[in-house]
Amino acid sequence: MPDGGRIAARGFQYQYLRTLESMLTLIGDPHIASARIEGPVQSDAAVQVDAVDFDVLDHEGRCHLAAQVKARSAGATMSAAEVFTVVASLTSDYEADQYQLLTNATPTPQARQLALALSDGSDPHALRDVLTTILAGAPRRLTQVSDLDVIQMERLGRCRVLFDTRDDAQIRQTLREYLRHYRNVSRLGMGEQSAALMTGYLVSEIFRRAADEGEARFTMDQLREHLLIEPETLARTFRNRDWGVLVGSIPPIPDVARPELLSQIVAALEPAGRDEVRRVILTGLSGIGKSSIAAAFLADRSDSYDCLFWIDAESEDSLLASFQRIRSYLQGSPRASALHDPPTQVRDEVHTDLSRLPGRWALVFDNVGDHRAAQPWIPKLGRGDIIVTSTNAIARYGNATSITVSAMTDAQSADLVARRLHLSAAESRTHRREIQRLTAALANWPLAMELATGYLDSCAIALTDVDGYLSDLTSRTLSDTDSLPPAYPRTLAAALALSIDDLESRAFPEREVGERYLYARLAHGILHLGAFLASRQIPVHLLGGTVLDDLEDAGHSAPIFVDPSMFRMGEVVRELRRYSLVSYDLEIPPTEGERVPDVDHTITMNSVIQALLRDRIGQTPHTATVLGSLARQVDRWLSAALDLNRLERAEILSTHARVLVHHLFDRGLNHEWIACLYGNLAAAYRRRGQSDMAELLLKFELILLGKLQPPNRFLIAQTQVQLIDILLHTPSAHSLTYDEAALKLNETLQYAEESSQDASAGSIYLAFAVRDMLERPLAQKFVPSVLSALKTRSQSILERFESTPLIDTMMASQKAEEFLRDGDFRQAELSCREALASRSLVGATEIDTHSSLIQALAGQEKWAEASIAFSELRSLYGEACAYPWIVEEYFSNLGLEIFEPIMRGQAGPLDLLAEVLAWPPVQERRTNSTMNFCTRVGLFTALHKAKTGYPREARSILDALAAEDLDTGTAEQRTAWKMIWQLIHDDVPTS
């Protein structure tokens, strides 16, 4: 016979465990005030009190959640009819925002269908129909369904059925984890046994309140008071502190947080549901912050472990000394002869004791010198987590997760510099640019910044003098031992030099035997070329292709990749990682159709290493030749990324181009490929909206091209067109005058006329580019007669070209713009699709044509097709905030097309607007563009809020905007946007 008392006790235990779990889940919600154990009392409401096992109230006394808890024996099922009986009773006459049935029963298929139907959010009529179908085999329940009124049906729609098959032990474990996490966030800590003790106490507290109607209300403040008991009080209650005990000498906890690395460690050490040793290895250059990150992890997660052990793993002697300390802690007072025990005995005893510990423990093996010697010391059994720090990036530690510790973020670096130079918040803001230059020059490397700030501070050098300091940063800081922070190695430069010397001996041996020296030689070349690029995400194949460039056709214009049948680039990089001279970085965003498996792999180099290498290389004729080849390769990669609209890839490559251009300029080098690199770098700056910098680079490119003999007239014409394009789009203080622009346009057209017979892609590009520019609004600033003559001349050149696929595509793209201006959206759509179908458009022209297609579809109210076209544009564009003028034109033109349909109540344009507003480039331009564009985005943000049920938020946005910010653009544009302003203001209520 079943024991009824025990069954009832198990039922109450399950109920109170789920009650506590719900309270802990809601404890962070500021709107929740309390929970009533066993629900409302008879004096509070005339309801079926037994139907509610607990409810949760807000500060006004409104019921946020009413819950019924049903316990079942293991494996027992619950039918749809049973579920309906419970939820119908729960929702019959008790008003709450939400209702829940919590049960450990296994649902029948119909019961699961019923739970899904309730969670669908269907309207009452549809829900009634679904319930009628599910409960067709239960006539009494069908009668109940038909008798429910609309209010009761609405309540059912707010009810959820949560089937949860965890047993009581699993729920208690979940509660213990809740408690430990909550106290950890508050920096109070809690051990495994303390958490179990606290869980039992809170369940008993709920039981006590359930028995006393006057104590039934358990407030969240009271629960927090129990949870946040002082550590000393908790330790006294348990007679000892049983968590976060540290054994060993831990380095200082870093004062600059690096959460992106901590989150990786936390993820790698996430409990896997069973007791096992989990391992993480932190690798990186000396001084990059590996030990600091490990220390930060222990400080952040100390409440998650009963014991924390820090081990100096630099040598076998230091390993033994650390293990002896651990053994003393685990075993109590050591016997007199313990210090003379052989290392294997000490190691084995510690491993045995760790495997027996009931709680979790953490071990840090810091600064592993010889991974083979350290391996036997690393435990394999027990409830522990292990972190290893090492400069050896190729060593393996079983199933350890490898995490590369690289440079700090810009914000972290700025924080570090400010702290080391004792700057106040106001001083940090004042010297923001100087700090940025300093940290950028040091590649955000912690050790380098510690060295630099130590030198600046000790020599009383002000940040206003940072530029003079940066010129001789490396040699002065690395040789001035007084500026080295405590505990940092004073042989850094010598160690780096020795590593490079050893690599050179492997690359250029006295006897060339086997193929290993070839890999070392390629690695040597890659390392030295990498010194002239940015320090992060350096494409391995870009460097390798440059080293092997003499094997390729000099006229080849596509990026060069290393043939895997010649060299395995992973082995080449391994030669460099041997010395921790480089480490793998994030892969560069890919292009389409790549066939080389590791073509997107990149490495990172430290800027101090790069500077040392550049000093070693010096300036010779051979260096000039090699750097010319590097410029050619970088230009190929950057040009291909821009042409294919791989903008995130281009952003990374343009960073390398900027650094390389700086070094080329410093060395006074000139070559056609170097000039091309200036031009493509200018295109990258332009794409980011930095037109003034783009103009300066283009003018410098013209100077370089003018020095070459014979002159490359196409490159000169192309550069002039790019300069004029900036003048007619986003003029700056560096822009050409209109008289200068007219002169250069005539020179360009002269070249196009002379080369039109060849119908080359270059001459076609120039002719179409000039015609397109002359149609822009700012072109009206040319002297009318000059503008007319330029248009006539450009049209005459275009008429000379016979029809080709490229010309037809360019014509279709330009016709689309004309059709849009005339309001012929159908023809504009057809022209856009024709141009895009050719797949021959590149760069900004392709992006522009996609945006024109969306505008044409919106003009025809083809909302589904417009949404698809926008998804294609997003995929093409990526998340990089490029081509800002196109983003602004696209948003403004689309806004004019969708405004009126939105005001008519159409859902399609409102959905499209939501997608566009959520697009990162639009939000980036809203932050960094003119007030005119910011106001336009603000208007449509308010419109979307108003039309989706948030009028107060809409009014708040509108009140922050100023109508005078729309007083720019053409008269037609000003009129249209002022009308939109007024209509939106009239549509949104003022209160």
Side-chain angles (χ1 to χ4, degrees), residues 771-943:
R771 184 179 122 163
D772 177 62
M773 288 190 295
L774 296 176
E775 295 297 330
R776 302 219 183 106
L778 287 177
Q780 301 304 313
K781 292 188 176 183
F782 282 111
V783 174
S785 59
V786 172
L787 179 60
S788 176
L790 288 169
K791 285 184 174 181
T792 301
R793 191 173 185 184
S794 64
Q795 186 62 36
S796 172
I797 295 171
L798 288 173
E799 291 171 355
R800 298 182 189 183
F801 294 122
E802 296 182 3
S803 177
T804 66
L806 178 59
I807 290 175
D808 292 345
T809 298
M810 300 293 289
M811 289 296 293
S813 180
Q814 291 204 344
K815 282 180 180 178
E817 296 297 323
E818 295 173 7
F819 286 132
L820 284 176
R821 285 194 292 268
D822 295 339
D824 191 342
F825 297 111
R826 177 56 181 163
Q827 288 301 317
E829 177 194 349
L830 294 175
S831 294
C832 288
R833 293 194 185 280
E834 177 187 348
L836 293 171
S838 71
R839 302 182 67 84
S840 58
L841 294 178
V842 297
T845 305
E846 184 181 11
I847 296 285
D848 211 3
T849 305
H850 271 279
S851 64
S852 296
L853 174 60
I854 300 167
Q855 185 183 348
L857 293 169
Q860 301 171 76
E861 299 191 1
K862 295 181 177 180
W863 305 119
E865 292 182 56
S867 179
I868 293 171
F870 179 62
S871 296
E872 293 172 351
L873 174 63
R874 287 191 65 157
S875 177
L876 177 70
Y877 194 99
E879 298 303 319
C881 297
Y883 302 123
W885 67 92
I886 295 180
V887 174
E888 295 183 15
E889 287 178 4
Y890 163 67
F891 182 88
S892 299
N893 293 337
L894 182 64
L896 296 174
E897 298 301 335
I898 66 176
F899 175 70
E900 193 270 337
I902 289 176
M903 297 299 287
R904 283 193 274 113
Q906 290 194 32
L910 193 62
D911 292 340
L912 180 59
L913 175 60
E915 294 176 28
V916 174
L917 288 173
W919 193 28
V922 169
Q923 293 305 318
E924 188 274 340
R925 295 316 300 155
R926 184 183 185 184
T927 302
N928 299 314
S929 185
T930 63
M931 288 306 299
N932 177 283
F933 182 73
C934 296
T935 303
R936 293 179 181 183
V937 177
L939 281 174
F940 274 90
T941 302
L943 177 63

Side-chain angles (χ1 to χ4, degrees), residues 533-548:
L533 300 180
S535 62
R536 293 291 310 276
Q537 285 186 281
I538 309 172
V540 176
H541 277 265
L542 186 155
L543 299 174
T546 303
V547 175
L548 303 175

Side-chain angles (χ1 to χ4, degrees), residues 286-287 447 451 478 484-493 495:
S286 298
L447 175 57
L451 293 170
L478 295 180
L484 282 169
Y488 275 80
R490 299 179 183 275
T491 56
L492 176 61

Side-chain angles (χ1 to χ4, degrees), residues 241-251 253 269 277-278 280 291 293-299 301-313 318-332 346-347 349-368 377-379 381-389:
R241 179 186 173 102
D242 68 327
W243 68 92
V245 178
L246 176 65
V247 178
S249 179
I250 189 172
I253 307 301
L269 299 180
V277 175
R278 299 165 303 209
V280 164
S291 301
I293 294 299
F297 173 82
L298 293 191
R301 294 278 160 167
S302 62
D303 84 299
S304 301
Y305 302 98
D306 293 352
C307 302
L308 310 166
F309 304 100
W310 192 275
I311 297 168
D312 181 359
S318 62
L319 276 165
L320 175 59
S322 296
F323 265 62
Q324 285 172 331
R325 279 195 297 271
I326 295 173
R327 185 175 64 167
S328 296
Y329 170 78
L330 294 174
Q331 298 180 357
V346 176
R347 182 190 68 204
E349 286 184 17
V350 169
H351 286 184
T352 300
D353 290 341
L354 289 175
S355 69
R356 292 172 176 166
L357 287 180
R360 293 207 67 81
W361 45 265
L363 270 155
V364 174
F365 284 81
D366 185 40
N367 194 23
V368 171
W377 293 86
I378 298 176
L381 296 175
R383 303 187 66 217
D385 295 332
I386 294 173
I387 299 175
V388 176
T389 73

Side-chain angles (χ1 to χ4, degrees), residues 570-581:
E571 288 297 309
V572 176
V573 175
R574 182 186 176 92
E575 287 290 329
L576 300 175
R577 294 178 70 207
R578 180 188 304 277
Y579 307 98
S580 285
L581 294 170

Side-chain angles (χ1 to χ4, degrees), residues 468-481:
Y469 161 75
L470 288 175
S471 63
D472 59 351
L473 168 71
T474 305
S475 60
R476 291 180 65 185
T477 54
L478 295 180
S479 62
D480 188 347
T481 57

